[in-house]
């Protein structure tokens, strides 16, 4: 039943653009961070773009998404308005959470984007709840839950996988295995680094895919989502990836060598896909520059939108501590 | 580890570490020390900015320490390690970059007592952690207005050293409690009640508090500032007690 990704020209350019969009957006965020317009933590997705771009191709607007504090890529790939994301980063009222959440807590109800969670593993039980609600109310949605391999160290992961299988919930678990949990190398944290095997101990089927290859991720995600929908059963997708930069904005990176980072950079998802497109004459230089121009214009507009945004008045601080009603 | 993440370990801390000595009829001691980063001010939003030390201080069987100075951070750890009971040390995130020297012959500090960090006659500012420095700043500012504030560093929230602050309040007859925890059901409420129970008739003015606003701590800097106790609020609160307008 494996489904081939339909690699027409437009789709290839779309994938490339989606990844470049994330990379350039974050490069701008770094600048704004250095200018102290973005504060606090800033966890970059640099190197991991193929994972969210590939997975998102397999989802429909009805599906739900949960992610971590490293969720800029997921939010952008999901189609959350870049302007609202940039404004959120800058703590503005026109941000996707009124500037209350910042970089780690993007939410967008309309796109079924349920955060942005800064507690490692925190999204997993939430995903279970979202999927259970959909199932009980007869909505045919899939819940895509992104988390780092560090979350597998936690009880929340194991409890969630168990219940997801037991209740046959339509959840796509996406483990973004970038080999490190802050400074902790995966083999120092896990007795068994075979995550697919771990999932199988809860009878959750799964596979490991090259997370630096956007087409491979898309293809695996499409198959997984088809299977989830047809069998009403969770699926586990491990994406082997790598983060090119520090965990958040600064860390001494004593836990890995410069050579290791360089070797992975050479396999970078954008670098690799773009080179492949170029060497197969699937993209013309002017198409590439058009993509970059469009992306940079979108980013400039997002920054302008954010800069112009007001601050939330302090008088509204207590709003939503408790809700007046359940939003429709 | 920050106190926010400790919520995932709460079962081990509360149901086991703190309960087993008593529930087993004294067969087991749990000499455990946990260091937790606490507090806000770094613009890292609600899930990373809580001050739950007062919440932990609710629990019998725990010792809850809140060092604010370099020597307390260094030597309270030693005292905690020597304790046969579970001890949680709350280290405020804004204090980690603080540098300072302590006397080379210093070997230990008392982990049971509060400390008067600044003596004064007109009003007691009772606090701990990062708010200590805001209170000291406020005291400096107040002194230029002729208000002489005493600053008490609680240092330990459980057991509470009531003697030190009751004596202080008996001297100054006025008191402001500054606590980065939320006001309702907080350590500041406990301190206020102890004063009401034991020193009500010493007071010349109502008890006052400066606490965190009762909301999750937001990311945006101006909102976060508005949530946390600030020097300016301490100054106006103390001034209003001493020289009512
Ligand atoms: C429960 C909890 N413990 C610790 C932390 C501190 N922390 C933040 S990110 C992180 C690493 C998580 O690594 P991983 O899940 O692999 O995701 P990655 O950052 O690599 O994307 C840790 C330990 C936290 N946020 N939550
Ligand atoms: Mg990781």
């Amino acid at each position: 039943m494996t489904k081939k990704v339909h690699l027409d020209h437009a789709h290839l350019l779309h994938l490339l653009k989606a990844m470049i969009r994330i990379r350039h957006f974050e490069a701008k965020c770094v600048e704004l961070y250095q200018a102290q317009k973005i504060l606090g933590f800033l966890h970059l997705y640099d190197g991991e773009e193929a994972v969210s771009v590939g997975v998102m191709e397999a989802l429909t607007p009805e599906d739900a998404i949960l992610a971590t504090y490293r969720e800029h890529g997921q939010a952008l790939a999901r189609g959350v308005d870049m302007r609202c994301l940039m404004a959120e980063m800058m703590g503005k009222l026109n941000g996707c959470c009124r500037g209350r959440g910042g970089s780690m807590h993007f939410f967008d109800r309309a796109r079924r984007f349920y955060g942005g969670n800064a507690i490692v593993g925190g999204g997993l039980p939430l995903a279970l709840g979202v999927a259970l609600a959909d199932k009980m109310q007869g909505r045919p949605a899939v819940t895509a839950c992104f988390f780092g391999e560090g979350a597998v160290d936690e009880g929340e992961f194991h409890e969630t996988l168990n219940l997801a299988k037991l209740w046959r919930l339509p959840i796509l678990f996406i483990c973004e295995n970038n080999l490190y949990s802050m400074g902790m190398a995966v083999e120092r944290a896990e007795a068994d680094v075979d995550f697919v095997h771990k999932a199988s101990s809860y009878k959750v089927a799964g596979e490991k895919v090259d997370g630096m290859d956007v087409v491979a991720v898309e293809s695996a995600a499409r198959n997984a989502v088809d299977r989830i929908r047809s069998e009403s059963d969770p699926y586990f997708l491990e994406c082997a990836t790598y983060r090119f930069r520090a965990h958040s904005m600064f860390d001494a990176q004593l836990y890995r060598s410069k050579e290791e980072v360089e070797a992975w950079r050479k396999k970078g998802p954008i670098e690799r896909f773009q080179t492949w497109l170029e060497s197969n004459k699937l993209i013309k230089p002017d198409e590439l520059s058009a993509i970059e121009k469009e992306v940079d214009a979108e980013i400039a507009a997002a920054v302008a939108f954010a800069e112009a945004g007001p601050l939330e008045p302090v008088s509204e601080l207590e709003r939503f501590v408790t809700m007046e009603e359940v939003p429709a | 580890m920050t106190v926010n993440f400790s919520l995932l370990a709460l079962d081990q801390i509360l149901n086991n570490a703190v309960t087993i000595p008593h529930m087993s009829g004294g067969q087991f001691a749990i000499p455990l020390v946990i260091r937790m980063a606490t507090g806000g001010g770094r613009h890292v939003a609600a899930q990373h900015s809580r001050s739950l030390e007062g919440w932990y201080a609710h629990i019998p069987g725990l010792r809850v320490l809140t060092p604010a100075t370099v020597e307390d951070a260094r030597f309270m750890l030693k005292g905690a390690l020597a304790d046969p009971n579970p001890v949680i040390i709350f280290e405020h995130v804004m204090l980690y970059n603080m540098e300072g020297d302590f006397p080379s012959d210093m070997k230990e500090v008392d982990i049971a007592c509060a400390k008067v960090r600044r003596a004064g006659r007109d009003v007691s500012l009772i606090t701990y952690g990062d708010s200590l420095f805001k209170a000291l700043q406020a005291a400096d500012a107040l002194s230029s207005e002729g208000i002489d504030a005493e600053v008490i560093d609680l240092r330990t929230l459980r057991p509470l050293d009531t003697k030190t602050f009751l004596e202080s309040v008996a001297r100054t007859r006025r008191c402001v409690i500054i606590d980065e925890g939320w006001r309702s059901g907080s350590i500041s409420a406990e301190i206020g009640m102890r004063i009401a129970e034991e020193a009500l008739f010493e007071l010349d003015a109502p008890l006052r508090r400066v606490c965190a606003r009762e909301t999750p701590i937001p990311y945006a800097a101006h909102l976060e500032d508005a949530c946390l106790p600030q020097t300016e609020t301490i100054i106006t609160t103390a001034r209003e007690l001493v020289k009512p307008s």
Side-chain angles (χ1 to χ4, degrees), chain A residues 30 61 96-97 101 168 170 174 211 220 223 246 259-260 264 286 309 311 313:
Chain A
V30 170
C96 60
C97 299
R168 302 199 65 124
I174 305 114
N223 287 324
E259 294 72 35
E260 181 184 305
W264 275 94
D286 60 327
L311 296 175

Side-chain angles (χ1 to χ4, degrees), chain A residues 123-145:
Chain A
L124 283 140
L126 281 178
L128 191 86
V130 169
L132 180 62
D134 281 339
K135 180 165 178 157
M136 290 177 77
Q137 297 183 23
R139 291 187 291 258
V142 167
T143 296
C145 179

Side-chain angles (χ1 to χ4, degrees), chain A residues 89-267:
Chain A
M89 291 271 193
M90 288 167 65
K92 296 297 186 71
L93 183 57
N94 53 352
C96 60
C97 299
R98 304 168 69 92
R100 293 171 169 200
S103 150
M104 301 192 286
H105 302 290
F106 294 159
F107 286 81
D108 184 350
R109 188 185 165 93
R111 281 169 196 76
R112 301 205 77 198
F113 195 87
Y114 298 108
N117 201 311
I119 300 302
V120 171
L124 283 140
L126 281 178
L128 191 86
V130 169
L132 180 62
D134 281 339
K135 180 165 178 157
M136 290 177 77
Q137 297 183 23
R139 291 187 291 258
V142 167
T143 296
C145 179
F146 292 84
F147 52 92
E149 88 293 342
V152 180
D153 311 349
E154 284 184 9
E156 288 189 328
F157 169 84
H158 299 271
E159 295 178 38
T160 302
L161 259 74
N162 179 54
L163 288 176
K165 180 67 194 190
L166 186 67
W167 296 338
R168 302 199 65 124
L169 298 181
I171 306 178
L172 176 59
F173 293 101
I174 305 114
C175 176
E176 306 184 291
N177 182 1
N178 61 10
L179 302 178
Y180 295 92
S181 160
M182 296 182 88
M184 176 78 82
V186 61
E187 61 275 6
R188 292 167 64 101
E190 292 290 328
D192 177 5
V193 296
D194 183 345
F195 294 109
V196 175
H197 180 229
K198 278 192 179 170
S200 76
S201 65
Y202 299 102
K203 295 190 162 32
V204 175
E207 74 189 283
K208 182 169 182 169
V209 63
D210 181 355
M212 306 306 256
D213 177 347
V214 67
V215 175
V217 175
E218 178 181 343
S219 166
R222 283 189 183 279
N223 287 324
V225 168
D226 280 354
R227 189 180 186 281
I228 292 169
R229 288 196 209 281
S230 63
E231 297 178 25
S232 184
D233 209 24
Y235 195 82
F236 181 88
L237 194 60
E238 176 187 346
C239 297
T241 184
Y242 200 79
R243 93 175 127 68
F244 293 161
R245 306 214 205 185
H247 168 74
S248 179
M249 281 306 285
F250 308 102
D251 80 44
Q253 299 195 54
L254 300 176
Y255 49 87
R256 60 186 188 181
S257 68
K258 286 205 171 69
E259 294 72 35
E260 181 184 305
V261 180
E262 269 323 299
W264 275 94
R265 265 187 197 281
K266 291 206 180 84
K267 305 191 256 185

Side-chain angles (χ1 to χ4, degrees), chain A residues 245-319:
Chain A
R245 306 214 205 185
H247 168 74
S248 179
M249 281 306 285
F250 308 102
D251 80 44
Q253 299 195 54
L254 300 176
Y255 49 87
R256 60 186 188 181
S257 68
K258 286 205 171 69
E259 294 72 35
E260 181 184 305
V261 180
E262 269 323 299
W264 275 94
R265 265 187 197 281
K266 291 206 180 84
K267 305 191 256 185
I270 298 179
E271 297 74 357
R272 188 163 139 190
F273 189 55
Q274 192 177 313
T275 311
W276 178 78
L277 290 174
E278 284 165 350
S279 56
N280 288 285
K281 308 229 175 332
L282 291 166
I283 188 169
K284 298 191 212 90
D286 60 327
E287 285 172 329
L288 181 62
S289 54
I291 285 177
E292 288 182 333
K293 236 172 112 179
E294 272 170 45
V295 163
D296 292 343
E298 188 189 6
I299 292 167
V303 174
F305 176 82
E307 296 267 17
L311 296 175
E312 179 171 28
V314 172
S315 59
E316 297 196 2
L317 199 46
E318 258 115 43
R319 258 185 99 187

Side-chain angles (χ1 to χ4, degrees), chain A residues 39 89 100 105 118 312 318, chain B residues 43-44 47 213 219-220 222:
Chain A
L39 303 171
M89 291 271 193
R100 293 171 169 200
H105 302 290
E312 179 171 28
E318 258 115 43
Chain B
H43 323 301
V44 288
Q47 290 180 337
R213 291 273 286 265
Y219 159 70
H222 70 295

